[in-house]
Amino acid sequence: MAAETTTDTEALDTSEPLTGWGRTAPTLARVLRPRTYEEASEAVRACGARGSIARGLGRAYGDAAQNAGGSVLDMTGLDRVRTIDATTGVVVCDAGVSLHRLMEVLLPLGWFVPVSPGTRYVTVGGAIGADIHGKNHHVSGSFTRHVTSLELLTADGEIRTVVPGSDLFDATAGGMGLTGVILSATLRLLPVETSLMTVDTERATDLDDLMARLTAGDHRYRYSVAWIDLLARGAATGRSVLTRGDHAPYDALPRRARRAPLAFRPGRLPAAPALVPEGLLGRTTVGLFNDVWYRRAPRRRTGELQRLSAFFHPLDGVPHWNRIYGRGGFVQYQFVVGYGHEETVRRIVKRVARRGCPSFLAVLKRFGEGDPGWLSFPMPGWTLALDIPARLSGLGAFLDELDEEVVDAGGRVYLAKDSRLRPDLLHAMYPRLADFQALRAALDPRSVFTSDLSRRLAL
């Protein structure tokens, strides 16, 4: 009798509990790890009644890359950088390549990724599916604005070349993996002379002071972000540390650094422990941290040279930093409201401060022109992101109230970070949602591509 054989994909098939980076709401899925486009196509065809969803490095905070009872395609095995044009700054790579890997490969050639979020441990496919943004949205827009084409495996088993300006591209940009599996992408890069940043830092005494500084000066910087103390109250409500910068030119480097101007050497600290006492990040401890962080920041410092990793990805230096919230995990909440709705930002900051939400990763940025993706998050306006321990009593109802304020101001929340939004608010937040749903129904009538997020929000 002949021995029974299995494909490479089947041999690597396991069932695992999966969560987002916030470590809330784990669900069990069959995990497939394709190594080729053919294996990815086979996995999609065999996904079963509960469908499948692609997953990268698991940095979506909520349930976008989970699929309870179905299958999940771990795309990190498709990790080839296929071609680099070092003259024009164009790279073609598999969807499972991380931004970290691109930086390792591209920086020595004098190129940098056009958009980077707060972590470099995201895949190119994930960056497109979430249409990620960074500190430079007011200048450069979101990630998919720099994608010139992508290869998409759709529910019918076809691999399609998708280009900007098409409905399928606009549905895929920010579409959270629900139009198909991104296999590869072609990206335009940013030229740089060094791997260091020239950084200006200053303190703002309150929220109004911060917003005035951002409005007046952001046009002078490629990158801009402000950390906010969301536990400060009274006259200090919204006190902040504002950090802005750009890529350092070669002639700004000291002599020693000029020996290897494009070296990429991110630092690394010990990993956060696997078990962290519940309640470690309470109001008292976070309040003390926030106070020290604010007071240690310079009132004004200009021209400081920083490593790329320190400026863009400080938390990446602590592996598994999400463990510090304890087993209960945390909720990452990010919203945007348009310019002219500054009062909404003020009200929400005051409400969070009065509520005493122990958030120490709270940032405010300004967005530029909106992006073409039908479910892309950015729009011209103010965006605030904050983390809150999920165990906080009454958190769900409190965030529902904030959602209502955001909707009333014509704003929206970020789906890549969401884990609890009410589905009835989604149409008001995303005006092209009906177009997205219609295209998805025509392209994937059997809902081959589905996720916990898509079921929860009826996407």
Side-chain angles (χ1 to χ4, degrees), residues 149-169:
S149 69
L150 59 88
E151 300 294 311
L152 184 72
L153 171 64
T154 50
D156 56 9
E158 289 189 33
I159 297 177
R160 309 183 187 211
T161 299
V162 186
V163 296
S166 66
D167 284 352
L168 186 52
F169 186 94

mmCIF file of all heavy atoms in Angstrom, residues 149-169:
data_model
loop_
_atom_site.group_PDB
_atom_site.id
_atom_site.type_symbol
_atom_site.label_atom_id
_atom_site.label_comp_id
_atom_site.label_asym_id
_atom_site.label_seq_id
_atom_site.Cartn_x
_atom_site.Cartn_y
_atom_site.Cartn_z
ATOM 1 N N SER A 149 1.698 48.863 -7.863
ATOM 2 C CA SER A 149 0.907 47.706 -8.284
ATOM 3 C C SER A 149 1.015 46.633 -7.211
ATOM 4 O O SER A 149 1.939 46.658 -6.380
ATOM 5 C CB SER A 149 1.378 47.148 -9.633
ATOM 6 O OG SER A 149 2.647 46.539 -9.519
ATOM 7 N N LEU A 150 0.076 45.692 -7.236
ATOM 8 C CA LEU A 150 0.140 44.560 -6.322
ATOM 9 C C LEU A 150 -0.461 43.349 -7.009
ATOM 10 O O LEU A 150 -1.266 43.468 -7.938
ATOM 11 C CB LEU A 150 -0.567 44.872 -4.999
ATOM 12 C CG LEU A 150 -2.052 45.259 -5.027
ATOM 13 C CD1 LEU A 150 -2.965 44.031 -4.956
ATOM 14 C CD2 LEU A 150 -2.378 46.200 -3.867
ATOM 15 N N GLU A 151 -0.052 42.168 -6.536
ATOM 16 C CA GLU A 151 -0.607 40.909 -7.014
ATOM 17 C C GLU A 151 -1.568 40.397 -5.954
ATOM 18 O O GLU A 151 -1.198 40.237 -4.785
ATOM 19 C CB GLU A 151 0.500 39.881 -7.258
ATOM 20 C CG GLU A 151 1.534 40.302 -8.300
ATOM 21 C CD GLU A 151 0.941 40.409 -9.687
ATOM 22 O OE1 GLU A 151 0.251 39.450 -10.105
ATOM 23 O OE2 GLU A 151 1.148 41.443 -10.341
ATOM 24 N N LEU A 152 -2.825 40.141 -6.373
ATOM 25 C CA LEU A 152 -3.882 39.779 -5.431
ATOM 26 C C LEU A 152 -4.491 38.449 -5.822
ATOM 27 O O LEU A 152 -4.960 38.270 -6.959
ATOM 28 C CB LEU A 152 -4.961 40.867 -5.421
ATOM 29 C CG LEU A 152 -6.093 40.701 -4.410
ATOM 30 C CD1 LEU A 152 -5.577 40.975 -2.994
ATOM 31 C CD2 LEU A 152 -7.250 41.656 -4.732
ATOM 32 N N LEU A 153 -4.500 37.500 -4.888
ATOM 33 C CA LEU A 153 -5.163 36.217 -5.068
ATOM 34 C C LEU A 153 -6.614 36.377 -4.644
ATOM 35 O O LEU A 153 -6.890 36.613 -3.470
ATOM 36 C CB LEU A 153 -4.462 35.143 -4.235
ATOM 37 C CG LEU A 153 -5.139 33.774 -4.140
ATOM 38 C CD1 LEU A 153 -5.216 33.104 -5.512
ATOM 39 C CD2 LEU A 153 -4.399 32.892 -3.136
ATOM 40 N N THR A 154 -7.539 36.265 -5.584
ATOM 41 C CA THR A 154 -8.948 36.484 -5.279
ATOM 42 C C THR A 154 -9.669 35.165 -5.038
ATOM 43 O O THR A 154 -9.113 34.077 -5.222
ATOM 44 C CB THR A 154 -9.624 37.285 -6.405
ATOM 45 O OG1 THR A 154 -9.330 36.672 -7.672
ATOM 46 C CG2 THR A 154 -9.110 38.714 -6.414
ATOM 47 N N ALA A 155 -10.937 35.247 -4.642
ATOM 48 C CA ALA A 155 -11.682 34.070 -4.203
ATOM 49 C C ALA A 155 -11.889 33.048 -5.307
ATOM 50 O O ALA A 155 -12.094 31.862 -5.028
ATOM 51 C CB ALA A 155 -13.036 34.505 -3.638
ATOM 52 N N ASP A 156 -11.833 33.482 -6.564
ATOM 53 C CA ASP A 156 -12.006 32.552 -7.674
ATOM 54 C C ASP A 156 -10.720 31.818 -8.045
ATOM 55 O O ASP A 156 -10.676 31.066 -9.015
ATOM 56 C CB ASP A 156 -12.550 33.288 -8.900
ATOM 57 C CG ASP A 156 -11.678 34.474 -9.314
ATOM 58 O OD1 ASP A 156 -10.572 34.624 -8.755
ATOM 59 O OD2 ASP A 156 -12.116 35.259 -10.176
ATOM 60 N N GLY A 157 -9.650 32.050 -7.273
ATOM 61 C CA GLY A 157 -8.381 31.384 -7.526
ATOM 62 C C GLY A 157 -7.470 32.111 -8.489
ATOM 63 O O GLY A 157 -6.352 31.657 -8.738
ATOM 64 N N GLU A 158 -7.935 33.232 -9.035
ATOM 65 C CA GLU A 158 -7.100 33.997 -9.956
ATOM 66 C C GLU A 158 -6.095 34.862 -9.203
ATOM 67 O O GLU A 158 -6.365 35.301 -8.081
ATOM 68 C CB GLU A 158 -7.967 34.905 -10.838
ATOM 69 C CG GLU A 158 -8.803 34.190 -11.876
ATOM 70 C CD GLU A 158 -9.454 35.184 -12.823
ATOM 71 O OE1 GLU A 158 -8.843 36.240 -13.095
ATOM 72 O OE2 GLU A 158 -10.580 34.900 -13.272
ATOM 73 N N ILE A 159 -4.963 35.103 -9.836
ATOM 74 C CA ILE A 159 -3.992 36.073 -9.331
ATOM 75 C C ILE A 159 -4.060 37.285 -10.256
ATOM 76 O O ILE A 159 -3.760 37.179 -11.449
ATOM 77 C CB ILE A 159 -2.569 35.496 -9.280
ATOM 78 C CG1 ILE A 159 -2.513 34.324 -8.298
ATOM 79 C CG2 ILE A 159 -1.575 36.583 -8.868
ATOM 80 C CD1 ILE A 159 -1.151 33.649 -8.233
ATOM 81 N N ARG A 160 -4.495 38.401 -9.723
ATOM 82 C CA ARG A 160 -4.735 39.594 -10.520
ATOM 83 C C ARG A 160 -3.688 40.661 -10.211
ATOM 84 O O ARG A 160 -3.320 40.855 -9.050
ATOM 85 C CB ARG A 160 -6.127 40.161 -10.240
ATOM 86 C CG ARG A 160 -7.245 39.136 -10.346
ATOM 87 C CD ARG A 160 -8.597 39.769 -10.139
ATOM 88 N NE ARG A 160 -9.653 38.758 -10.085
ATOM 89 C CZ ARG A 160 -10.905 38.951 -10.485
ATOM 90 N NH1 ARG A 160 -11.251 40.137 -10.966
ATOM 91 N NH2 ARG A 160 -11.804 37.984 -10.393
ATOM 92 N N THR A 161 -3.259 41.330 -11.253
ATOM 93 C CA THR A 161 -2.420 42.505 -11.071
ATOM 94 C C THR A 161 -3.337 43.708 -10.886
ATOM 95 O O THR A 161 -4.162 44.004 -11.758
ATOM 96 C CB THR A 161 -1.502 42.716 -12.289
ATOM 97 O OG1 THR A 161 -0.650 41.574 -12.441
ATOM 98 C CG2 THR A 161 -0.639 43.963 -12.094
ATOM 99 N N VAL A 162 -3.204 44.373 -9.749
ATOM 100 C CA VAL A 162 -4.118 45.456 -9.379
ATOM 101 C C VAL A 162 -3.322 46.751 -9.282
ATOM 102 O O VAL A 162 -2.255 46.791 -8.654
ATOM 103 C CB VAL A 162 -4.806 45.143 -8.027
ATOM 104 C CG1 VAL A 162 -5.858 46.198 -7.706
ATOM 105 C CG2 VAL A 162 -5.428 43.753 -8.058
ATOM 106 N N VAL A 163 -3.839 47.802 -9.902
ATOM 107 C CA VAL A 163 -3.104 49.066 -9.958
ATOM 108 C C VAL A 163 -3.949 50.199 -9.374
ATOM 109 O O VAL A 163 -5.183 50.120 -9.347
ATOM 110 C CB VAL A 163 -2.695 49.411 -11.410
ATOM 111 C CG1 VAL A 163 -1.741 48.374 -11.955
ATOM 112 C CG2 VAL A 163 -3.926 49.540 -12.300
ATOM 113 N N PRO A 164 -3.288 51.255 -8.899
ATOM 114 C CA PRO A 164 -4.015 52.411 -8.361
ATOM 115 C C PRO A 164 -4.992 52.977 -9.387
ATOM 116 O O PRO A 164 -4.740 52.959 -10.596
ATOM 117 C CB PRO A 164 -2.902 53.406 -8.039
ATOM 118 C CG PRO A 164 -1.692 52.567 -7.822
ATOM 119 C CD PRO A 164 -1.829 51.415 -8.778
ATOM 120 N N GLY A 165 -6.112 53.478 -8.881
ATOM 121 C CA GLY A 165 -7.134 54.037 -9.742
ATOM 122 C C GLY A 165 -8.241 53.068 -10.081
ATOM 123 O O GLY A 165 -9.318 53.473 -10.532
ATOM 124 N N SER A 166 -8.019 51.779 -9.848
ATOM 125 C CA SER A 166 -9.064 50.779 -10.084
ATOM 126 C C SER A 166 -9.892 50.585 -8.815
ATOM 127 O O SER A 166 -9.418 50.817 -7.699
ATOM 128 C CB SER A 166 -8.442 49.450 -10.503
ATOM 129 O OG SER A 166 -7.675 48.889 -9.442
ATOM 130 N N ASP A 167 -11.141 50.153 -8.989
ATOM 131 C CA ASP A 167 -11.992 49.907 -7.830
ATOM 132 C C ASP A 167 -11.403 48.828 -6.929
ATOM 133 O O ASP A 167 -11.482 48.930 -5.689
ATOM 134 C CB ASP A 167 -13.392 49.485 -8.282
ATOM 135 C CG ASP A 167 -14.225 50.655 -8.793
ATOM 136 O OD1 ASP A 167 -13.773 51.810 -8.656
ATOM 137 O OD2 ASP A 167 -15.327 50.408 -9.326
ATOM 138 N N LEU A 168 -10.812 47.805 -7.534
ATOM 139 C CA LEU A 168 -10.269 46.725 -6.712
ATOM 140 C C LEU A 168 -9.086 47.199 -5.884
ATOM 141 O O LEU A 168 -8.927 46.789 -4.727
ATOM 142 C CB LEU A 168 -9.856 45.545 -7.610
ATOM 143 C CG LEU A 168 -9.394 44.280 -6.883
ATOM 144 C CD1 LEU A 168 -10.408 43.838 -5.841
ATOM 145 C CD2 LEU A 168 -9.122 43.157 -7.885
ATOM 146 N N PHE A 169 -8.267 48.088 -6.427
ATOM 147 C CA PHE A 169 -7.168 48.644 -5.641
ATOM 148 C C PHE A 169 -7.722 49.463 -4.482
ATOM 149 O O PHE A 169 -7.279 49.324 -3.329
ATOM 150 C CB PHE A 169 -6.271 49.522 -6.516
ATOM 151 C CG PHE A 169 -5.030 50.006 -5.811
ATOM 152 C CD1 PHE A 169 -3.840 49.303 -5.925
ATOM 153 C CD2 PHE A 169 -5.051 51.154 -5.024
ATOM 154 C CE1 PHE A 169 -2.689 49.733 -5.267
ATOM 155 C CE2 PHE A 169 -3.912 51.598 -4.368
ATOM 156 C CZ PHE A 169 -2.729 50.878 -4.485
#
